[in-house]
Each structure stands twice: as C-alpha cells, then as structure tokens.
Amino acid sequence: MSSPGTAASLRAANQVRVVRALRQHQELSQADIARDTGLAPATVSSIVKDLVAAGLLTTTGGAGRRGATVAISRRAGLVGGVDFGHSHVQVSLGDLGGRVLVTAQEPLDNDHAHEDGLALAHRMLDRLLAAESDAGDLHAVGIGLPAPLGADGVIDSGSILPGWIGVHAADAAEKEFGVPTRADNDANLGALAEHAVGAGRGTSSMAYLKLSSGVGCGLILDGRVYRGGIGTAGELGHMTMDETGPLCRCGSRGCLEAYVGGTALTAQFAPIRAQLSVREFVALANNGDTGAQRLIEDAGRYLGRAAAALANVLGPELLVIGGDLSDAGAPLIDGVRDGLRRHALAPVAAQVRVERAALGARSSSIGSVLYALEGLSLTGPARV
C-alpha cells in the first residue's frame, strides 16, 4: 500500500482514471484518453504501456504510441453477476471492461433455501465459464436480491425470498463461489446499470423503479448509488397510500406495493383468470384485455402519486421504470407522468423525465456485473 500523496499513489490514481475512461467508452485512442481524463499525453502513454505489459489493456498500433487504439483486454479476466428474482435466477458473465458477454436464466421457486439458490447459480456460472474459456479467470461475483440489505449486509424480514432472511448474503455467496463477492438490493443494481449504460446515462441523479412481483426503488444521487445510513434507502414500495387499504406482505396496510406490485395485480385479476404470472398478466393487457388494462392504468396512477413525493423530496432528473410490469408500456408510463403532473410541484413535474428502462429485464443482472467490477482492485475500484 502506498501512502496518500506519494508518487506511487498518484500513479495508481491516474491508472484508475484511464481504466474508468475505457470502461465507460469501451475503446479509445490515447489522445481521447488524455482528453477524457485530463492527463498529459505522455502520462497516458506511460500508463498504457505499463498496463499492456500487465495484461490488463490491449492496443492496436503499438503500446505507448499516442495514435494507438486502447481497450481493456478480453483475456484479462471475467466477473460474474447473479440476479435472484421472485421466480427465477439470471446469471451473466462480463469482462473487465464491463461488457456483458453472455447471460442465462433458469426458473427458481421463491421459497428455495438460499444454499440451493446459490448452488444453482454456481452451476449456471460454471457452464458459462466453460463456454468462455479463453477469456481468463473469474475475479469476482456480484449478486442482486429482491430484499432490503442492512448496513451489516444481512437480509431482513422485508425479503420476498423467505429462505434468505437472516442471511449475510455476500458471505454466503463468497463461500459458494470462492471469489470475492458483493451483494446488494436488485433495484440498486438496476439503477447502477441504467445509470452507467442505459436510460440514465449522462444524468447525475435518477431513480430506478422496478415493478415486478413487488416494488423496488434504486436511487442515484450525485452520480452514485445512494443506500442511506442504514443501507435500506429506496423502499418506496412500502410507502403508505391508504392506512385502511389492503394488507401488505410487510404487515402494514395500504402500501404502494399492495396496489402496484405484480403479485397484488394478479391477485386482483384472479376472479377473471387465476394463476397467472406477472408476465402473462402483462401480455393479456398488451393483447387488449380490458380488465388487465384497467388494473395497469390504476397501478400507473398510484405509482405516479408515490413518484411525485419522491420527486418533490429528491428532485431527480429522471425516473426510469423497469421490471416485468414495465412491458405494459404507455398505460403504465402515462399514469406515472399524470401522477407527477397532479401531485408534484409544478417546476418539479415540468423537469423530471419519465422513461422506460433501456436494458429491459437485464437491468439488475447487468448491474450485478458492474457491482462486482466496482469491487476489484486491479488498478483500484471502478466507479461507473
């Protein structure tokens, strides 16, 4: 370890700046790196030469030459991302440049034991690694869970996966995978991905609202994921909309999730057609079923009321709507926009944009890859 202010620490910090620029843009000339980072061209040339020799970077046109095109080497290694949903697990592999190379998904009962879920994810990850055998070793894994994780990393009773309650998620996963592992709420990871490479790219503040079986919210403030002092910031799904409303799984009444969550909507729709998944319910609405459309329009209005309160308090530039329910498109998104217009301060409503997630169902999975990448110390942690 080098002391702050030493030549070695300055060199390491400059290496981090170069790698961050390449993770953001994937490929740059050395002149572009110098412009992006503010470093002197000679400094960039020297850093590139060192990192090429270390196997982290690759160049076309010759290492150290200012006209060379530089990228993070595919052979430098891999990171894994695991996204646990209400009824599935999605596993991805990415390179050290943050590019997701391959993704697989398998069904998984929501009442699984956490050991069984991790074992399944491990088997899936091994299959993906076997197919990418020329890309180097696995360096780290990130996992996303539909649950609040406290500052101590333990999943509390708010999880929709009962087999994970009381578990230190990162420790359990690291024991399974055998590499450094980080865990976070899936909505936080969705926010990370959409901000880095999706609908929120270029913004400094945004909220990612994930609408699937439940309701999650990930916050980006001043360019970074905001988790709050106790680690559970963003639990918008348990904002009380009506204290005499329907019972929520958290034990309270009238929570937003009881009106907007996919499980709540399919339960309301059950007298018409029972045992639908959230995706099947959304497909019915998209195919013209008036009852399903009405429920989604109502959900949009409820979400808009909650989003207005969020916008008034935090003033994000953008609200990104993701998760399975976002496939409903305009009926849901328009309801959120209408809620902002009705319930947010006029200047807030006029400036906050509402967009559908650009990464679709892969937001949290891509975010788990980026989160794993953040924790690496090859040249210092990347912050996308």
Side-chain angles (χ1 to χ4, degrees):
M1 296 289 291
S2 56
S3 301
T6 66
S9 66
L10 179 61
R11 178 84 172 171
N14 288 340
Q15 288 177 339
V16 171
R17 291 165 72 179
V18 170
V19 172
R20 284 178 180 166
L22 290 169
R23 283 175 174 162
Q24 182 177 1
H25 299 287
Q26 303 300 323
E27 186 176 270
L28 291 170
S29 71
Q30 293 195 38
D32 288 336
I33 294 172
R35 282 191 289 269
D36 191 88
T37 61
L39 297 173
T43 300
V44 171
S45 294
S46 176
I47 288 172
V48 168
K49 186 179 296 184
D50 287 349
L51 296 183
V52 168
L56 181 60
L57 302 185
T58 184
T59 66
T60 58
R65 296 182 182 176
R66 295 180 186 179
T69 298
V70 185
I72 295 176
S73 173
R74 172 93 178 258
R75 295 178 180 272
L78 299 165
V79 291
V82 181
D83 175 38
F84 285 97
H86 180 259
S87 58
H88 73 273
V89 58
Q90 189 175 91
V91 177
S92 298
L93 272 182
D95 65 16
L96 297 192
R99 292 167 290 214
V100 174
L101 306 175
V102 62
T103 298
Q105 181 170 310
E106 291 194 18
L108 181 65
D109 291 338
N110 79 300
D111 59 354
H112 69 271
H114 76 276
E115 298 94 339
D116 294 338
L118 287 170
L120 173 59
H122 197 171
R123 292 193 297 272
M124 295 169 66
L125 189 59
D126 282 345
R127 290 196 292 269
L128 297 182
L129 284 166
E132 299 289 335
S133 57
D134 64 338
D137 297 330
L138 182 71
H139 288 280
V141 172
I143 69 169
L145 291 151
L149 277 72
D152 59 359
V154 175
I155 296 174
D156 73 9
S157 59
S159 175
I160 64 173
L161 302 179
W164 287 81
I165 293 173
V167 174
H168 191 290
D171 285 355
E174 188 162 317
K175 181 179 178 181
E176 175 67 37
F177 296 119
V179 295
T181 303
R182 313 176 83 198
D184 203 351
N185 174 267
D186 60 348
N188 286 345
L189 299 183
L192 176 66
E194 289 290 340
H195 180 252
V197 295
R201 188 168 183 172
T203 62
S204 65
S205 62
M206 55 161 276
Y208 171 74
L209 307 180
K210 183 174 183 178
L211 310 176
S212 292
S213 297
V215 178
C217 176
L219 302 172
I220 300 288
L221 300 180
D222 294 330
R224 301 168 74 99
V225 175
Y226 178 75
R227 298 176 178 88
I230 61 174
T232 59
E235 286 298 319
L236 188 70
H238 299 288
M239 173 186 290
T240 301
M241 308 300 290
D242 181 356
E243 64 182 12
T244 64
L247 191 67
C248 179
R249 65 180 172 84
C250 74
S252 187
R253 282 192 175 275
C255 293
L256 175 66
E257 188 170 294
Y259 296 97
V260 174
T263 298
L265 295 181
T266 55
Q268 291 182 62
F269 196 69
I272 299 174
R273 185 169 171 182
Q275 297 182 326
L276 286 176
S277 69
V278 177
R279 289 185 178 181
E280 289 169 338
F281 169 73
V282 171
L284 279 179
N286 289 340
N287 288 327
D289 186 286
T290 55
Q293 288 176 340
R294 174 62 184 270
L295 286 174
I296 286 173
E297 289 169 358
D298 291 345
R301 283 192 285 271
Y302 277 113
L303 184 61
R305 283 175 53 192
L310 180 71
N312 280 341
V313 172
L314 296 178
E317 299 162 69
L318 175 67
L319 300 176
V320 177
I321 313 300
D324 291 340
L325 279 173
S326 69
D327 288 342
L332 182 71
I333 304 297
D334 288 348
V336 178
R337 290 177 176 142
D338 185 59
L340 282 174
R341 180 182 62 80
R342 288 172 175 267
H343 302 291
L345 291 170
V348 173
Q351 295 181 73
V352 177
R353 295 179 289 118
V354 181
E355 295 182 13
R356 186 175 168 186
L359 304 177
R362 299 189 304 145
S363 295
S364 295
S365 182
I366 292 172
S368 64
V369 168
L370 297 177
Y371 192 48
L373 193 62
E374 280 191 358
L376 289 179
S377 57
L378 295 175
T379 59
R383 178 66 61 181
V384 291

